[in-house]
Amino acid sequence: MQKRRWRTLGLLRKLLTFAICAIALVALLSAHVHVFSPSTVQKLPDPYKLPTQHEIEYQKLSTERSWTRELAHPHLRKAPLPARKLDGASGTSDFDKLWKRPPNRDYVHCIEPSPSYTAPRETQGYLLVHTNGGLNQMRAGICDMVAVARILNATLVIPELDKRSFWQDSSNFSDVFDEDHFINSLANDVKVIKKLPKELTSATRAVKHFRSWSGVDYYQEEIASMWEEYQVIRAAKSDSRLANNNLPPDIQKLRCRACYEALRFSPKIEAMGKLLVDRMRSYGPYIALHLRYEKDMLAFSGCTHDLSVEEADELRITRENTVYWKVKEIDSTEQRAKGYCPLTPKEVGMFLTALGFPSNTPIYIAAGEIYGGVSHMAALQSRYPILMNKEKLASVDELEPFNNHASQMAALDYIVSVESDLFIPSYSGNMARAVEALVRLFDKVEQGTMSEGKSLSSRIIEIHRRRHGSPRKRKGPISGTKGMDRFRSEEAFYVNPLPDCLCHKESPVMNSSLIIR
């Protein structure tokens, strides 16, 4: 009887122990699920979560700039988690494929001069340069004028930046670029000085519009002969004054040294740019989107697709009132059909979705004021809510030194774009050739003859298949074109400096050293 009682008691103890363990296990599992439930993620402290949908909700505001202020500044108080994998994708492989860098095909930069290259010879005179256009246009023009100064045996005076264009930017060279670095880096190529010598400030100077896309012969013969009469020659414009092709190798390599080594941004811009990059990186891998949907771009190109009648009229009036824009009457439909118009923000959203980028992809908008602001950004914002720019990543005080200086603000975008995991232009360069095909597809979607999904995605992926940025030889003029149209049809040198400034390296089977050709 007593033994039976002990057995019963032992059995009860086992049952009680099992029950306690079961309860503990259930509690543990409940806590684990609770910690990672969506409702609790929203309550985590700020430093550990991405902005919520509510925080980045698109608010309709009245000004063009308003979309830039919707997301609270994430720096200092927020360190968002990395972007998640593809929504509904098969896994890591699909995600990695989207961010995979294009193959470099064993190309390396080779911009050093040849053994026969000499130091600058005695100067024949002084070259003054007035640059024109936006930041990238001025950059290319400055580098071309470095090469022209070398051809002319001229002393280059630090170029004057464009202060009269659409942006009315008062920035000087030293505000945007590191002036001392520029001078020192080119010491073995061209003599560069900050100001014209005092004794020559009142001297008669020749103001010359250098012929577009000119070769060495033009400068050595027609322009160099002007030194006999003038000590100072002023280039009234700097854009596209030097040919893309058929120049001596040392001149081409000098253009690359000027552009990619000598022309460095000023210390304050470099520092702010790095800060923006660090803050953008806190969101994980990111796309830099060069969105050319700006008033000046649309007015200049005559592109009015998806705009209201009032907006189209405003752009037409801007074009008519801008004296130095020669073409006044433009057929917008024809422009777009030829691929001469930038993609709209809505079309960019469709493009990124078709390529497979998930909605939580961080995107940095490299651009000035987007024309129409909220009304035209809404479609892109609804697809990709983590849409960032300078104004969202930095405080008003941090950006204050750069405000009202379009070139300096563009330089910040340049830095963030160069450091991005993916750079996507909405116009120009390789993208311009794809736009012509893309807009036909987007028109079909708009007209209802094609729907978004697998069909559109496969078509866009196929169009984009060979446009991934891998090195390839620069394209020459389009067959059959003549005169200035021939030069305009060439791929620009700074868009693709291969083969002039990139070399292919090979590893011989019997030799571990590299041969660069």
Side-chain angles (χ1 to χ4, degrees):
M1 189 72 176
Q2 191 173 0
K3 288 182 178 179
R4 187 180 300 172
R5 187 178 300 163
W6 280 111
R7 286 176 186 171
T8 303
L9 184 59
L11 181 61
L12 286 172
R13 283 179 179 174
K14 289 180 180 178
L15 288 173
L16 183 60
T17 301
F18 177 79
I20 292 171
C21 291
I23 292 170
L25 181 61
V26 170
L28 180 63
L29 289 174
S30 298
H32 182 73
V33 173
H34 179 69
V35 166
F36 292 97
S37 67
S39 61
T40 309
V41 169
Q42 304 301 328
K43 297 176 183 177
L44 287 173
D46 274 351
Y48 298 99
K49 69 182 182 74
L50 279 168
T52 64
Q53 182 65 34
H54 174 73
E55 288 174 319
I56 51 181
E57 179 107 63
Y58 208 85
Q59 303 294 331
K60 285 198 172 183
L61 301 174
S62 57
T63 65
E64 290 185 6
R65 294 184 181 182
S66 59
W67 77 272
T68 67
R69 304 190 187 102
E70 290 152 19
L71 192 61
H73 304 308
H75 65 287
L76 301 182
R77 66 183 188 82
K78 288 186 179 180
L81 298 171
R84 298 169 311 214
K85 297 177 183 177
L86 274 173
D87 297 338
S90 60
T92 305
S93 60
D94 290 334
F95 180 77
D96 291 343
K97 187 176 180 180
L98 282 173
W99 299 98
K100 185 179 179 181
R101 292 182 180 273
N104 65 15
R105 294 169 51 203
D106 290 328
Y107 278 99
V108 294
H109 73 273
C110 53
I111 60 178
E112 295 304 313
S114 67
S116 61
Y117 193 76
T118 61
R121 289 183 284 171
E122 185 178 353
T123 184
Q124 295 291 309
Y126 296 86
L127 178 62
L128 299 179
V129 175
H130 182 275
T131 61
N132 58 291
L135 177 66
N136 286 325
Q137 196 172 344
M138 288 193 292
R139 278 177 59 94
I142 290 168
C143 297
D144 279 359
M145 289 299 111
V146 168
V148 168
R150 171 78 188 191
I151 295 170
L152 294 174
N153 296 325
T155 294
L156 177 66
V157 180
I158 284 291
E160 178 186 349
L161 301 190
D162 191 342
K163 295 180 173 64
R164 298 177 298 179
S165 65
F166 179 89
W167 302 275
Q168 298 292 301
D169 186 354
S170 62
S171 298
N172 294 315
F173 187 97
S174 60
D175 295 319
V176 180
F177 303 108
D178 188 330
E179 196 171 65
D180 291 331
H181 177 78
F182 182 74
I183 293 171
N184 295 332
S185 294
L186 296 171
N188 294 324
D189 303 294
V190 174
K191 185 178 180 182
V192 183
I193 59 176
K194 294 184 179 181
K195 293 182 179 180
L196 196 65
K198 289 183 178 180
E199 63 270 20
L200 292 176
T201 53
S202 59
T204 303
R205 62 190 65 174
V207 179
K208 180 74 173 178
H209 282 76
F210 295 162
R211 192 174 66 199
S212 299
W213 295 295
S214 296
V216 170
D217 291 347
Y218 167 77
Y219 286 105
Q220 287 182 336
E221 295 170 9
E222 184 171 331
I223 303 301
S225 64
M226 298 174 70
W227 294 132
E228 297 175 5
E229 188 174 351
Y230 302 97
Q231 288 180 277
V232 181
I233 298 175
R234 179 182 178 86
K237 285 188 175 183
S238 66
D239 63 321
S240 304
R241 305 296 131 175
L242 197 59
N244 292 305
N245 303 303
N246 303 317
L247 294 177
D250 274 332
I251 293 298
Q252 296 288 57
K253 291 183 185 299
L254 173 56
R255 294 168 86 178
C256 281
R257 288 199 299 279
C259 187
Y260 305 116
E261 290 189 349
L263 206 56
R264 189 167 68 187
F265 291 121
S266 65
K268 69 170 186 177
I269 289 177
E270 289 282 351
M272 189 65 211
K274 183 181 183 303
L275 195 62
L276 293 175
V277 170
D278 290 343
R279 290 171 182 172
M280 197 66 210
R281 281 254 175 263
S282 69
Y283 289 88
Y286 71 90
I287 291 173
L289 173 63
H290 191 200
L291 195 58
R292 296 304 310 276
Y293 212 72
E294 301 152 322
K295 184 176 181 179
D296 65 293
M297 178 63 190
L298 297 176
F300 175 77
S301 61
C303 299
T304 59
H305 175 74
D306 214 24
L307 297 180
S308 67
V309 174
E310 293 76 17
E311 288 172 329
D313 284 342
E314 181 183 29
L315 296 178
R316 176 183 54 77
I317 293 170
T318 298
R319 185 169 65 254
E320 290 176 352
N321 292 339
T322 305
V323 178
Y324 48 88
W325 289 352
K326 296 180 181 179
V327 181
K328 304 299 181 182
E329 296 293 329
I330 300 177
D331 186 326
S332 178
T333 303
E334 184 178 326
Q335 284 283 93
R336 187 168 180 271
K338 291 180 178 179
Y340 295 159
C341 293
L343 295 177
T344 67
K346 178 181 178 181
E347 290 170 338
V348 169
M350 294 171 67
F351 173 70
L352 294 176
T353 300
L355 288 179
F357 286 98
S359 61
N360 62 341
T361 301
I363 299 176
Y364 180 86
I365 301 296
E369 292 180 23
I370 301 302
Y371 188 60
V374 168
S375 62
H376 293 303
M377 288 297 293
L380 177 58
Q381 180 89 52
S382 64
R383 289 174 184 261
Y384 294 96
I386 309 178
L387 213 56
M388 310 300 290
N389 65 359
K390 298 180 292 293
E391 290 79 5
K392 290 180 181 180
L393 292 171
S395 67
V396 173
D397 289 342
E398 287 173 321
L399 287 179
E400 194 279 330
F402 311 99
N403 282 333
N404 301 316
H405 297 291
S407 295
Q408 296 181 49
M409 294 291 263
L412 295 176
D413 284 342
Y414 186 101
I415 293 172
V416 182
S417 296
V418 166
E419 295 297 326
S420 67
D421 298 277
L422 286 173
F423 175 74
I424 298 179
S426 62
Y427 182 70
S428 188
N430 225 10
M431 189 63 182
R433 295 170 179 80
V435 167
E436 183 178 354
L438 289 173
V439 295
R440 294 172 186 170
L441 297 178
F442 296 147
D443 283 345
K444 288 182 180 180
V445 174
E446 190 173 329
Q447 294 160 7
T449 58
M450 178 183 281
S451 59
E452 284 196 71
K454 188 174 182 180
S455 177
L456 177 65
S457 179
S458 62
R459 295 283 298 276
I460 288 180
I461 289 173
E462 183 59 35
I463 291 170
H464 198 64
R465 191 175 301 281
R466 298 184 180 277
R467 304 176 188 276
H468 292 171
S470 187
R472 58 167 178 76
K473 188 177 180 180
R474 187 169 64 255
K475 294 179 181 178
I478 295 176
S479 179
T481 54
K482 297 180 180 179
M484 298 306 280
D485 287 338
R486 175 179 177 275
F487 294 110
R488 289 191 182 96
S489 70
E490 292 180 330
E491 189 170 18
F493 177 82
Y494 296 105
V495 169
N496 183 7
L498 175 65
D500 311 272
C501 302
L502 290 172
C503 300
H504 192 257
K505 67 178 182 181
E506 293 181 348
S507 298
V509 177
M510 302 301 292
N511 193 337
S512 61
S513 62
L514 294 179
I515 294 179
I516 298 179
R517 67 183 184 188

